[in-house]
Amino acid sequence: MTYEFLQHYWCFIVALLGAILVFLLFVQGANSVARSLGWTEEGRRLVYNSTGRKWELTFTTLVTFGGAFFASYPLFYSTSFGSAYWLWMAILFTFVLQAVSYEFQNKIGNILGPKTFQFFLTLNGIVGPLLLGGAVATFFEGSNFIVEKSNMVDPMAVTPVISHWANASHGLDALLNPWVLVFGFAVVFLARTLGILYVMNNVNDEDIRSRGSVRLIGAAVPFVVLFVAYLVHLLLKDGYAYNPETGVVFMEPYKYLTNFLEMWYLLLLLLIGVVLVLYGIITEMLRGSKFFTHHSSLFTFDGIWPAGIGTILTVLALLLCSAWNNTAYYPSTADLQSSLTMQNSCSSEFTLRTMFYVSLLVPFVVAYIAYAWYSLDRKKLTRDELRGNDHAY
């Protein structure tokens, strides 16, 4: 295991966690359309109890994603989480609101009323994916920060801070970039699409399923349009490359297109992911139609599973494209040479090697999560389970 291999390995682990996080945003997506999916108070409670079985996984993955970045690429953690703190604080605040809202919306003594906390769940369902999608888009569009490592050894430095934001917005200025918003809203509608697919698969209620089929079209079409628009923009734009021998960062025409062509396996991963997402969406759109009745053997899975796996593969390919093949994964628009790469921002070889052995336990954790997921979803949720159940949300 060379130092370069360990850098690529941990980049893959972090990217995989990020991809899983985007998939798990189906919780936020379903909550954002719960009022139109459920329509009645009991119907909304069905949606919230369906997503309530999984919200801890989303929150835990978000924290694990941040922890993995801190351990393997600490300079990114201090630059993004430390300098762009308003953006990340807004993300964390909406997720804290989500946790509180699940627990207190129907508790005795709730003076704010259930609708207040349901509004908070809707807010998290829109703002959370939007800001997380915007944060991912900065890996390609750049952020307004400056890195000055000399401050750590300069006795004259007033504050020995390695990196700082170049303006007072501390990360919120990224939302002024229209392409960041395009990708952010693409993630919002992707989360809604996945959320609708999950609820249709998890809840045994004909009213919700019929409404879900209609709402699915309203979420999937904007997602496809926004994602395709951003993907075309990404493949045609100049990218942030660096010389591995000198570490100098420079702009390279069609960098991300070049990355996909040179790393054909990432392109294959991207194409398979996109096909699976579309397959999952079309599967649910066709259910109940005469075409599905005559061709049911072509659609053996509920739409959430191919769409979910496709989401993970697609996001994984995009994140790896932003870092591998001598690419600056966190480019700076304020100072090009402050851009972060796998070489100039990673932990020591000893740290990466030690964590490598710890990461071998990850498959066991994933197996436990899969078993817990199966146990919770083995029986579809019905209205009868809400009545007289003290543990229902």
Side-chain angles (χ1 to χ4, degrees):
M1 293 186 295
T2 64
Y3 194 22
E4 182 180 3
F5 166 80
L6 291 170
Q7 290 171 351
H8 282 77
Y9 173 80
W10 277 103
C11 179
F12 173 81
I13 295 296
V14 171
L16 181 60
L17 287 171
I20 294 174
L21 175 60
V22 173
F23 161 60
L24 292 175
L25 289 178
F26 72 79
V27 173
Q28 280 64 36
N31 288 342
S32 70
V33 294
R35 299 186 70 84
S36 60
L37 265 183
W39 190 250
T40 63
E41 182 61 32
E42 193 174 46
R44 287 193 291 271
R45 287 196 66 194
L46 270 176
V47 176
Y48 291 135
N49 277 270
S50 176
T51 59
R53 297 176 174 183
K54 300 295 185 300
W55 74 266
E56 295 98 332
L57 293 178
T58 310
F59 197 94
T60 303
T61 305
L62 174 63
V63 174
T64 306
F65 172 73
F69 239 137
F70 170 73
S72 54
Y73 294 93
L75 187 52
F76 168 83
Y77 189 88
S78 65
T79 301
S80 182
F81 291 79
S83 300
Y85 53 81
W86 284 125
L87 176 63
W88 288 105
M89 285 299 292
I91 293 173
L92 291 175
F93 179 71
T94 62
F95 275 87
V96 171
L97 275 181
Q98 171 197 249
V100 172
S101 299
Y102 270 118
E103 297 299 330
F104 289 97
Q105 60 176 314
N106 290 304
K107 291 291 185 182
I108 298 176
N110 170 20
I111 60 175
L112 297 178
K115 290 186 178 180
T116 300
F117 289 106
Q118 290 174 4
F119 169 77
F120 290 155
L121 288 174
T122 302
L123 183 68
N124 169 252
I126 298 174
V127 177
L130 175 63
L131 295 183
L132 281 173
V136 171
T138 60
F139 292 165
F140 301 101
E141 304 300 325
S143 296
N144 201 13
F145 65 89
I146 298 175
V147 175
E148 296 177 306
K149 293 184 179 180
S150 59
N151 282 348
M152 296 300 295
V153 295
D154 185 3
M156 302 301 294
V158 179
T159 54
V161 178
I162 296 179
S163 53
H164 61 88
W165 221 249
N167 56 46
S169 70
H170 294 290
L172 294 179
D173 56 317
L175 299 178
L176 298 177
N177 185 328
W179 286 111
V180 170
L181 290 177
V182 167
F183 192 83
F185 278 109
V187 174
V188 170
F189 285 106
L190 171 62
R192 286 192 171 192
T193 301
L194 295 174
I196 294 170
L197 290 174
Y198 176 76
V199 171
M200 292 175 68
N201 172 57
N202 183 245
V203 176
N204 185 15
D205 187 87
E206 191 57 38
D207 182 55
I208 288 181
R209 283 198 61 87
S210 61
R211 290 181 180 278
S213 299
V214 178
R215 300 301 183 275
L216 182 60
I217 298 175
V221 171
F223 158 66
V224 172
V225 172
L226 291 169
F227 178 75
V228 170
Y230 188 81
L231 186 60
V232 172
H233 158 74
L234 178 66
L235 297 178
L236 298 181
K237 77 185 296 288
D238 294 345
Y240 298 84
Y242 72 93
N243 188 319
E245 297 179 358
T246 63
V248 174
V249 181
F250 59 94
M251 302 301 297
E252 180 179 319
Y254 307 109
K255 173 59 177 173
Y256 303 109
L257 175 60
T258 302
N259 282 356
F260 278 121
L261 294 178
E262 293 183 352
M263 297 184 289
W264 57 269
Y265 41 90
L266 291 187
L267 178 60
L268 182 62
L269 206 65
L270 177 69
L271 294 176
I272 293 175
V274 170
V275 170
L276 285 175
V277 171
L278 294 176
Y279 172 82
I281 294 171
I282 294 172
T283 294
E284 291 299 338
M285 287 184 177
L286 293 179
R287 283 190 189 277
S289 66
K290 293 182 178 179
F291 178 85
F292 181 83
T293 303
H294 291 90
H295 300 83
S296 58
S297 61
L298 298 175
F299 307 99
T300 56
F301 298 101
D302 289 304
I304 181 60
W305 297 118
I309 295 172
T311 296
I312 294 174
L313 296 180
T314 301
V315 177
L316 178 62
L318 288 173
L319 291 178
L320 292 179
C321 177
S322 72
W324 285 1
N325 200 35
N326 301 326
T327 309
Y329 69 87
Y330 198 51
S332 170
T333 55
D335 174 29
L336 193 59
Q337 301 312 313
S338 292
S339 301
L340 303 186
T341 68
M342 287 196 303
Q343 285 185 339
N344 66 15
S345 64
C346 68
S347 295
S348 66
E349 182 176 0
F350 173 79
T351 300
L352 296 182
R353 187 181 298 273
T354 302
M355 292 195 305
F356 171 84
Y357 294 111
V358 176
S359 70
L360 297 180
L361 298 174
V362 170
F364 297 98
V365 177
V366 173
Y368 171 77
I369 293 174
Y371 175 75
W373 185 303
Y374 169 76
S375 299
L376 288 171
D377 288 357
R378 183 168 43 188
K379 182 181 179 183
K380 293 184 182 294
L381 189 64
T382 63
R383 293 177 185 264
D384 293 337
E385 294 185 38
L386 301 182
R387 298 165 187 152
N389 187 349
D390 295 335
H391 299 289
Y393 292 115

